[in-house]
Amino acid sequence: MPPRLLPQISINEIPTGSERVVARALLETLGDGWTVFHSYSWLRPGRSLKSTTLREGEADFVLFHPDHGLLVLEVKGGRIEYQPETGAWLQGGKPLRDPFDQARRNEHALVDHVRERAQFQTPCLPLKDLPCPYGYAVVFPDCNFDGTLPAGAHPDILAGAADLPRLGERMLHALQSRGQGVRLPAQDAKQVTRALQSTFRLVEALSSRLARDEERLIQLTEQQAEALEGLYCNRRVLVEGVAGSGKTILGLRRALAFAEEGTRTLFLCFNRRLAEHLGQVAQHENLTIRHFHGLCRDVCVTAPGGFQVPEEREAQARFWKEEAPVQMFLALDDLPEPRFDAIVVDEAQDFQASWWDPVEALLREPDGPLYIFFDRLQNLYGAALQFPRTQAVFQLRVNCRNTRRLAEACGSVLRQEMKVSPFSPEGASPQVHRAESPETARKTCTTLLNRLLSEERFPPSRVAILGPYTRQKSPSLGPGLQWHKLTEKHDEWQADRAVLYSTIRSFKGLEADVVILVDLGDFREGLFERSDLYVAASRAKHRLHVVTDSDEIEEALGVR
């Protein structure tokens, strides 16, 4: 390969005339395989161990060849004079620093620079040397010379105007005078080049990219809210929306609007964690936020007979589905002021048909204000999707929570198109990390958290790990992840004390900027179905990582 000049500029762009002449001579007379670095500068600590001051340095040229070594070249153009009586150097009649001493110092600094940056396979002797010859030379492109050289100079490392036609040969001789060249192994040669040629690059921080995307998603949610406001004239409204369409935010806004009007309002949902989260972010003296079964308990514990939950698991499931709502319904008549002026229900697809009578009974007036939000595609518990009578039906078809790529993946899971706004940010497709064993999955999760929390400095409250099992039964997580604390407590997560781990179903209605899915095998009826993957994937606002060994999961997400 012919000699190459770095940085890759035209020789005519070199501002100093003498350096242009030398650069042209080098490229014309050096053989193949040479790299010529022009105007090579560095910033290094002082040579003293106690020094904290950074010292600047610059070499006019640095030459490198894997077979011959490294050469630092100092160029002094114009009329150069040396005064033997005083040892002074002059350039155009003005004092000039000794060019040989300058080249020598630059050589020492550059060797230290390379040695610090490179990891050589070939032994270096002595310890601070390089595994190849190195040296320095001085070129006076506008002068020739004769007479006895100063003590600090030597003909082998000096070139003048007459040497320019064979400058490459002279530079090779300068290196050979410092030791016979030994061809460096390819890996060591690459180490020298990398040490000299910076690999520095600027990559936009993930947090900055997500902040920009988040701003656009917020604007889209605002547009959904404005569209819904037109229905506020109706007392009873049924709103169906796809995952990510902003149902929870819009429902909470409607509840707050009721509360600010002085209306005693109940915001009711299915998921306990969602109710806890919303209770932290939205507070008003006229607003009560509860999950359905928690409200059953609240109402019944103060009623005659109390509230007894069976100990057996099967009996518990039947109790919460059938008996607890009935107990609440019966207990309402015995309480002084348990009722509300308006109710907003989120996650209504999870409400059994028999629950709506107790919900209606919570209203102070029959057929009082009732707003119901649901997504039939997130019906994980097989509810009948039978709702109370409403005056208006509204559909939210546009996903405004997930980026375009994640919304497409959610649609792929359901084998249908997921509508997004033309203004939705593109984002990134889900990343599938193949893990054939729990140990591999655990290492993958640790690596992902290292990148997010340590390198990208993401707050833990923006990252969630979800799986189909409880933390204790998770095959991948086991006792935990190296270096990283996990929590199942929502308040610890929101306080940035740990990354949240949650089952997918418990996290329904919530969201995180980055979601990591673990323990996903093939679809299993009753345990993990396509609707579960749809819910899980749609929880990620910006980035989704899926740790799995399942081809079926990868195909469902549309990333194969």
Side-chain angles (χ1 to χ4, degrees):
M1 183 177 68
R4 60 174 183 151
L5 178 67
L6 294 178
Q8 295 178 347
I9 60 173
S10 167
I11 291 178
N12 294 329
E13 295 180 49
I14 297 176
T16 306
S18 57
E19 293 179 12
R20 281 199 304 272
V21 170
V22 171
R24 185 171 288 109
L26 288 171
L27 294 182
E28 290 175 353
T29 60
L30 285 170
D32 291 346
W34 285 91
T35 301
V36 179
F37 297 89
H38 171 250
S39 189
Y40 191 89
S41 59
W42 58 84
L43 191 64
R44 303 188 69 258
R47 297 184 68 85
S48 170
L49 294 177
K50 296 182 179 180
S51 174
T52 58
T53 303
L54 294 175
R55 301 180 62 181
E56 297 179 358
E58 182 181 4
D60 294 327
F61 292 94
V62 175
L63 314 182
F64 174 67
H65 194 289
D67 291 346
H68 306 302
L70 188 70
L71 186 70
V72 176
L73 192 58
E74 187 68 26
V75 176
K76 297 300 179 186
R79 181 169 57 87
I80 307 297
E81 301 175 62
Y82 175 69
Q83 298 178 340
E85 297 83 3
T86 61
W89 289 83
L90 301 175
Q91 184 179 43
K94 297 181 180 180
L96 175 69
R97 181 179 172 184
D98 183 344
F100 291 93
D101 179 66
Q102 187 175 355
R104 178 179 60 82
R105 291 177 180 272
N106 284 344
E107 176 213 53
H108 291 324
L110 190 67
V111 168
D112 289 344
H113 171 77
V114 172
R115 184 65 181 154
E116 290 170 0
R117 289 188 169 202
Q119 298 291 329
F120 294 116
Q121 295 178 348
T122 305
C124 302
L125 294 174
L127 183 61
K128 291 187 178 180
D129 283 348
L130 303 180
C132 64
Y134 60 88
Y136 62 90
V138 177
V139 178
F140 300 116
D142 299 316
C143 298
N144 289 313
F145 55 89
D146 57 21
T148 304
L149 291 172
H154 191 278
D156 287 346
I157 60 171
L158 173 61
D163 296 309
L164 291 178
R166 55 190 183 96
L167 187 59
E169 179 185 335
R170 294 289 298 137
M171 295 302 98
L172 178 59
H173 181 71
L175 262 178
Q176 291 174 340
S177 69
R178 301 296 293 268
Q180 194 63 34
V182 178
R183 181 170 182 81
L184 287 174
Q187 183 62 33
D188 284 348
K190 188 178 295 185
Q191 286 290 318
V192 175
T193 302
R194 286 181 175 177
L196 292 172
Q197 185 178 3
S198 172
T199 59
F200 177 75
R201 63 192 182 103
L202 291 172
V203 179
E204 185 181 17
L206 182 59
S207 57
S208 297
R209 276 179 282 169
L210 299 199
R212 188 173 59 250
D213 289 351
E214 178 70 10
E215 183 177 356
R216 195 176 301 178
L217 292 175
I218 290 174
Q219 292 174 350
L220 295 176
T221 304
E222 291 290 341
Q223 293 173 7
Q224 295 270 53
E226 290 177 5
L228 188 63
E229 285 182 5
L231 296 175
Y232 280 12
C233 60
N234 296 285
R235 287 166 60 86
R236 300 171 72 88
V237 177
L238 181 66
V239 180
E240 179 177 5
V242 297
S245 58
K247 296 183 300 298
T248 299
I249 294 176
L250 300 177
L252 186 61
R253 284 193 174 192
R254 186 64 187 109
L256 284 169
F258 276 131
E260 289 171 359
E261 294 169 359
T263 302
R264 188 163 182 259
T265 306
L266 171 67
F267 183 96
L268 196 60
C269 60
F270 180 83
N271 189 341
R272 175 178 57 83
R273 280 186 170 168
L274 176 59
E276 292 173 354
H277 172 67
L278 297 179
Q280 294 174 356
V281 301
Q283 298 179 357
H284 194 285
E285 60 181 355
N286 295 323
L287 177 62
T288 299
I289 299 176
R290 292 287 188 275
H291 70 289
F292 180 76
H293 290 126
L295 184 66
C296 290
R297 182 190 298 273
D298 292 345
V299 172
C300 294
V301 291
T302 57
F307 192 72
Q308 298 295 325
V309 181
E311 294 184 0
E312 297 180 3
R313 173 171 292 184
E314 291 185 5
Q316 282 184 4
R318 185 173 60 255
F319 173 83
W320 288 117
K321 183 177 180 180
E322 301 174 3
E323 298 177 24
V326 172
Q327 288 189 25
M328 180 175 71
F329 184 74
L330 297 175
L332 288 173
D333 289 335
D334 297 325
L335 297 180
E337 281 294 330
R339 304 178 194 273
F340 298 91
D341 300 314
I343 297 177
V344 176
V345 179
D346 191 24
E347 302 182 300
Q349 73 278 350
D350 297 325
F351 281 50
Q352 299 296 319
S354 60
W355 296 3
W356 290 109
D357 284 339
V359 171
E360 290 270 32
L362 289 167
L363 285 166
R364 191 185 308 275
E365 299 178 2
D367 292 333
L370 177 63
Y371 276 63
I372 299 173
F373 293 80
F374 79 103
D375 178 5
R376 66 180 67 247
L377 299 177
Q378 295 190 62
N379 184 8
L380 302 182
Y381 301 98
L385 299 184
Q386 295 177 4
F387 305 112
R389 182 184 61 81
T390 54
Q391 297 170 306
V393 177
F394 189 73
Q395 289 190 324
L396 299 170
R397 295 191 177 96
V398 177
N399 181 308
C400 57
R401 175 177 63 211
N402 309 111
T403 60
R404 182 181 300 273
R405 293 286 183 85
L406 292 185
E408 290 173 353
C410 292
S412 174
V413 171
L414 297 176
R415 301 189 179 99
Q416 65 182 45
E417 182 181 0
M418 184 69 67
K419 187 176 181 180
V420 295
S421 167
F423 305 104
S424 293
E426 187 72 14
S429 298
Q431 292 189 30
V432 175
H433 308 268
R434 302 293 296 197
E436 305 299 331
S437 68
E439 292 74 18
T440 303
R442 191 175 301 118
K443 290 180 181 178
T444 300
C445 289
T446 297
T447 300
L448 288 172
L449 291 182
N450 281 338
R451 186 193 311 164
L452 292 166
L453 303 183
S454 301
E455 298 175 17
E456 294 285 352
R457 300 190 181 279
F458 249 55
S461 60
R462 298 175 66 180
V463 183
I465 301 178
L466 310 181
Y469 307 104
T470 61
R471 169 82 181 278
Q472 292 74 21
K473 295 182 178 180
S474 169
S476 299
L477 298 185
L481 300 175
Q482 189 176 17
W483 314 121
H484 299 290
K485 180 182 177 183
L486 301 182
T487 184
E488 295 175 86
K489 297 180 179 179
H490 190 274
D491 56 347
E492 286 189 0
W493 177 51
Q494 289 299 289
D496 281 328
R497 292 200 290 269
V499 170
L500 181 72
Y501 177 81
S502 172
T503 64
I504 292 169
R505 294 190 173 188
S506 294
F507 200 70
K508 190 167 59 67
L510 296 169
E511 60 190 31
D513 285 351
V514 180
V515 168
I516 302 172
L517 301 182
V518 297
D519 300 328
L520 302 191
D522 291 342
F523 294 122
R524 294 174 58 188
E525 186 175 354
L527 175 65
F528 188 75
E529 305 180 26
R530 279 185 174 268
S531 56
D532 290 283
L533 181 58
Y534 168 70
V535 169
S538 64
R539 300 307 99 196
K541 297 180 66 178
H542 297 282
R543 294 292 186 272
L544 176 64
H545 296 273
V546 183
V547 183
T548 184
D549 62 352
S550 170
D551 293 336
E552 195 173 23
I553 296 296
E554 197 169 353
E555 290 173 359
L557 290 167
V559 295
R560 295 202 73 186

